[in-house]
Amino acid sequence: MTRTPRALSVVALSVTAGLLVPATPADATARFTPGAPGAGDPYFPDMGNGGYDVAHYDIGLRYDPKTKGITAVTRVTARATQNLSRFDLDFLGPLTISSLRVNGHKAAYARTGAQELVITPRRGLRKNHRFTVTVAYSGVPRTVDDPALGTSGWVPTPDGAVMLNQPTGAATVFPVNDHPTDKATYTFTLTTPKGITALANGDLKGTRTSGAWTTARWQVRDPMASELSMLAIGKFDVLTGRTRTGIPNLTATDQVLGIKPDLAKKFLDQTADITDFQASLYGRYPFTSTGGIAVKAGIDYALETQSRPVYDMRRGGAIPSGTLLAHELGHQWFGDTVSPKRWADIWLNEGFATYSEWLYSEKFAGTPVQQSFDEAFAAPPTSLLWKGKVSDPGRDGIFDGLVYDRGAMAIHILRRTIGDKAFYRLLKAWPAAYRHGNASTEDFVRFAERISHKNLRAWATTWLYSEGKPPLGPRTGS
Ligand SMILES: [Zn+2]
């Protein structure tokens, strides 16, 4: 995420194979127990659930501008990771459920606590077996307004709505295992009145108009964290192309922004050039397409939604700056394909996304990375920037400056410690090693030690695990 004006600014691999375990006499007496109501994240104990692993979300949604509401059917395909007597999905807000089925059979359900949809199937679900949950529901989704973390979820816009889910918004729109550690593939089938465009992550597989309604089908083939899923509905001008290296590219600008065609084209071209530049530094672009969407949502941030970031534009007529594009596109490697194990690890997203801004500024604006570091490091010791730990910013601090700027500074000091050769090897090796997966701060420190053949405990203790402005040692390397 990047908040404006200052550049402030994000999960385990789904196993998709439905392993069939042959029935044995022991099954008749197997114990079935409830899945956990949370994924075990200390910052967000209600988020996510235990006992299963989602493989795919099939979200069919009709948006009606007259009511500003949705009518939806979401089918979740998952694999039980234990014998389940019951399990939870996360589902938030006022949407009314009209039907809920597990494997095609009506199932009992209850909505409890902060965001739990507790589902009790007719019979227990056996470990390692695949199952489907089909939920039909409707209503006007609510927005999440968190005093510390801002607005997310379903956000109305002048000509439609946008769904931006970091960190807890997804459950306002679809029943979900809402934690970055449960990635899945997605299909979005979106129906809107003719003339209203519906955009999502991934690739457009086709549109069909029937009477007054148009249906667009989007497919996400790469595993995606729920917090990175996105919808944008409104009157958009859409441009498509390919980057120089051949990556399909799609940008869209909401007509209410009044962006002139030459600027809209610049948005497409800059997105392409930065994606290619970053692929040269970070390794192969991790997804099937790139792009970006400029909206007017009044939320004052941009978000690294997978394959297609969303930029909320405060000023009409303008497109996102190059550094902002570099930040959100850099996240595609740092945050999106490699996602945090716990929200406490978010500096791995934001530190690298901020460092992506610095690398961009060096390449495209002639500002050396060292100068960007020096400017950030100049913050006085009393600055809030030096309060708290980069590796553990606290639930309310996940979007604070320390995660971003101190995160990027930590990365620069790591570069100076291990040297450019090892550093650039690390930039490529890390996203490749954890592709479509999750990693922790400790995973990163160990990985960097392996790549550089150096003991990095002192660096990690000073820059990641301690509070306060660190002393700068003698400069080595770059
Ligand atoms: Zn960010």
Side-chain angles (χ1 to χ4, degrees):
M1 180 188 284
T2 310
R3 282 173 172 171
T4 44
R6 177 100 181 87
L8 296 176
S9 257
V10 188
V11 202
L13 204 52
S14 290
V15 176
T16 50
L19 258 177
L20 285 177
V21 177
T24 66
D27 286 336
T29 55
R31 258 173 58 83
F32 287 76
T33 52
D41 193 307
Y43 288 6
F44 300 94
D46 294 322
M47 282 187 75
N49 305 284
Y52 63 93
D53 180 1
V54 177
H56 186 74
Y57 293 94
D58 187 344
I59 299 169
L61 183 150
R62 174 190 289 252
Y63 170 73
D64 188 344
K66 286 200 193 92
T67 63
K68 307 223 180 281
I70 62 167
T71 308
V73 178
T74 292
R75 190 176 66 189
V76 181
T77 305
R79 184 182 58 91
T81 55
Q82 69 181 65
N83 285 331
L84 280 171
S85 59
R86 61 163 211 254
F87 61 95
D88 291 12
L89 283 162
D90 298 303
F91 201 42
L92 256 172
L95 298 174
T96 304
I97 295 174
S98 58
S99 148
L100 192 154
R101 290 172 179 267
V102 175
N103 292 333
H105 302 291
K106 277 192 178 155
Y109 63 90
R111 296 179 71 172
T112 67
Q115 61 181 71
E116 302 306 307
L117 172 59
V118 182
I119 300 169
T120 308
R122 277 208 317 212
R123 51 174 72 151
L125 302 170
R126 280 201 296 157
K127 183 176 176 178
N128 289 329
H129 283 228
R130 188 183 271 246
F131 62 96
T132 61
V133 188
T134 308
V135 188
Y137 53 97
S138 60
V140 180
R142 98 168 209 218
T143 300
V144 176
D145 289 300
D146 187 285
L149 305 177
T151 297
S152 66
W154 184 263
V155 183
T157 63
D159 56 344
V162 58
M163 175 183 84
L164 293 170
N165 295 335
Q166 193 180 67
T168 62
T172 66
V173 184
F174 59 101
V176 54
N177 192 28
D178 199 13
H179 192 268
T181 45
D182 194 359
K183 296 189 181 189
T185 54
Y186 285 68
T187 316
F188 300 100
T189 308
L190 307 170
T191 302
T192 53
K194 218 158 63 179
I196 303 277
T197 303
L199 304 159
N201 318 80
D203 309 311
L204 181 61
K205 300 316 273 188
T207 57
R208 184 166 40 82
T209 296
S210 159
W213 297 85
T214 299
T215 298
R217 198 162 163 277
W218 293 84
Q219 187 180 39
V220 178
R221 280 184 291 166
D222 303 306
M224 176 165 81
S226 46
E227 54 113 353
L228 300 171
S229 60
M230 169 277 290
L231 297 174
I233 295 169
K235 290 181 180 162
F236 284 97
D237 292 324
V238 178
L239 294 177
T240 60
R242 278 179 188 270
T243 73
R244 266 178 251 268
T245 66
I247 303 163
N249 184 16
L250 183 151
T251 55
T253 51
D254 196 317
Q255 291 172 6
V256 302
L257 291 167
I259 294 169
K260 295 219 162 67
D262 58 325
L263 268 186
K265 179 70 169 47
K266 188 178 171 191
F267 178 29
L268 178 78
D269 292 344
Q270 276 194 308
T271 295
D273 291 347
I274 293 170
T275 301
D276 281 345
F277 168 60
Q278 293 181 333
S280 76
L281 293 174
Y282 308 152
R284 185 161 74 91
Y285 181 73
F287 307 121
T288 54
S289 58
T290 184
I293 302 177
V295 300
K296 187 177 172 63
I299 51 176
D300 259 10
Y301 66 80
L303 189 63
E304 63 272 24
T305 44
Q306 186 162 307
S307 73
R308 193 154 298 123
V310 172
Y311 305 91
D312 182 38
M313 303 307 296
R314 211 161 18 171
R315 211 154 48 83
I319 59 169
S321 69
T323 46
L324 185 53
L325 295 176
H327 181 106
E328 305 307 341
L329 291 168
H331 269 308
Q332 303 304 312
W333 288 263
F334 302 101
D336 290 14
T337 191
V338 187
S339 305
K341 272 189 183 155
R342 299 161 309 155
W343 282 100
D345 301 315
I346 192 172
W347 80 274
L348 286 168
N349 303 8
E350 302 303 345
F352 276 104
T354 304
Y355 206 75
S356 296
E357 296 178 38
W358 296 0
L359 289 166
Y360 166 86
S361 296
E362 184 166 85
K363 167 86 175 174
F364 292 91
T367 307
V369 169
Q370 183 61 45
Q371 186 181 325
S372 296
F373 172 89
D374 291 341
E375 283 167 14
F377 191 76
T382 50
S383 165
L384 278 181
L385 191 65
W386 307 110
K387 262 187 82 79
K389 296 172 188 166
V390 170
S391 61
D392 189 12
R395 186 253 187 220
D396 290 352
I398 60 170
F399 300 141
D400 282 359
L402 85 155
V403 172
Y404 293 72
D405 289 0
R406 256 170 77 197
M409 284 188 264
I411 290 162
H412 192 61
I413 295 297
L414 173 67
R415 175 177 172 178
R416 282 167 36 170
T417 305
I418 67 178
D420 273 4
K421 212 170 147 206
F423 181 72
Y424 281 105
R425 215 163 46 229
L426 175 67
L427 283 183
K428 281 200 170 84
W430 172 251
Y434 285 86
R435 185 167 188 261
H436 299 336
N438 299 76
S440 67
T441 298
E442 214 28 55
D443 291 332
F444 180 75
V445 174
R446 272 191 246 111
F447 192 85
E449 287 186 325
R450 265 217 316 279
I451 291 281
S452 66
H453 307 290
K454 277 200 156 77
N455 183 328
L456 297 171
R457 279 298 123 187
W459 165 77
T461 301
T462 303
W463 280 93
L464 305 178
Y465 296 120
S466 305
E467 292 205 56
K469 183 169 181 172
L472 269 194
R475 192 177 296 183
T476 58
S478 63

